Amino acid sequence: MPNPALAAQSLLKKHAVDIFPVPIESIARAEGVMITRKAFDGTQSGFALRDGQTRIIGVNSATSPRRQRFTIAHEMGHLDLHEGKPLIVDHAMRIDWRDDVSSLGTNEEEIQANAFAAEILMPARMIRPQVASYVRGKGITRDRLIVKLARDFDVSAEAMGYRLINLGILAS
Ligand SMILES: [Zn+2]
């Protein structure tokens, strides 16, 4: 079974990404993945399509820019981890920020794609020192910490909140 976090780390290393927010779209394009945007109807948030050597990620442009970044990261997870699947269509309900079994994404592949997305957009090795810098000194409230980190990493506060819980930095 592929390890989603290790796969995400190796992609960051390959593209020498040491800064945040992580340039997820540039990484995808550098990997030869085409990204198309369209305002989809309904709850569809994105898809990953494989056709021979061609790999395409579709993003629902009607969603927020931060949600679109997460969608690209999530679909990159599918392309990286789940070979042999020609088409995976994701709906907003299936893409949940949590990467544990308590999330709505109970499907194993969805859990893996979310874990990949969490690690590539919010790498533990970048998050931990940033948390330390905010907590140092006079301290910071939980909500303020989440909002600041969400801005730093260009993800939703919801995604960052779950990430900090999953990393054991915040209690659930
Ligand atoms: Zn998915």
Side-chain angles (χ1 to χ4, degrees), residues 15-32:
H15 295 280
V17 175
D18 278 316
I19 46 115
F20 53 83
V22 169
I24 187 62
E25 191 156 346
S26 301
I27 294 171
R29 292 184 193 281
E31 285 292 301

Side-chain angles (χ1 to χ4, degrees), residues 46 74-75 78 82 88-91 94-95 109-111 113-114:
H74 177 100
E75 302 304 339
H78 280 313
H82 308 135
I88 296 171
V89 178
D90 281 304
H91 293 263
R94 285 176 66 197
I95 297 194
E109 290 186 343
E110 296 313 311
I111 293 167
N114 283 339

Side-chain angles (χ1 to χ4, degrees), residues 22 70 97 117-127 153 155-156 159-161 163 167:
V22 169
F70 191 87
W97 310 104
E119 176 63 20
I120 203 163
L121 291 177
M122 299 168 277
R125 70 182 168 85
M126 296 185 192
I127 291 275
F153 288 83
V155 296
S156 71
M160 183 57 73
R163 179 61 167 159
L167 289 174

Side-chain angles (χ1 to χ4, degrees), residues 20-169:
F20 53 83
V22 169
I24 187 62
E25 191 156 346
S26 301
I27 294 171
R29 292 184 193 281
E31 285 292 301
V33 175
M34 286 175 55
I35 295 176
T36 66
R37 282 187 166 77
K38 190 171 182 285
F40 303 132
D41 290 334
T43 62
Q44 200 175 328
S45 54
F47 63 81
L49 174 67
R50 226 187 245 100
D51 183 12
Q53 294 301 305
T54 306
R55 296 186 300 166
I56 299 171
I57 288 175
V59 181
N60 187 349
S61 59
T63 60
S64 74
R66 286 178 174 180
R67 167 60 72 154
Q68 291 180 37
R69 278 170 56 75
F70 191 87
T71 296
I72 292 169
H74 177 100
E75 302 304 339
M76 281 296 286
H78 280 313
L79 291 174
D80 206 44
L81 302 167
H82 308 135
E83 288 182 14
K85 290 251 175 161
L87 175 65
I88 296 171
V89 178
D90 281 304
H91 293 263
M93 276 171 58
R94 285 176 66 197
I95 297 194
D96 191 78
W97 310 104
R98 285 168 281 191
D99 58 15
D100 63 11
V101 288
S102 68
S103 77
L104 291 171
T106 48
N107 178 297
E108 186 67 24
E109 290 186 343
E110 296 313 311
I111 293 167
Q112 291 176 347
N114 283 339
F116 179 97
E119 176 63 20
I120 203 163
L121 291 177
M122 299 168 277
R125 70 182 168 85
M126 296 185 192
I127 291 275
R128 291 188 190 282
Q130 197 68 356
V131 169
S133 77
Y134 284 134
V135 171
R136 197 177 299 134
K138 63 181 194 288
I140 188 169
T141 66
R142 178 190 177 102
D143 286 350
R144 190 93 188 102
L145 177 66
I146 292 171
V147 166
K148 276 178 168 289
L149 289 169
R151 193 178 302 149
D152 292 339
F153 288 83
D154 200 10
V155 296
S156 71
E158 184 189 25
M160 183 57 73
Y162 286 132
R163 179 61 167 159
L164 296 178
I165 290 167
N166 286 328
L167 289 174
I169 292 168

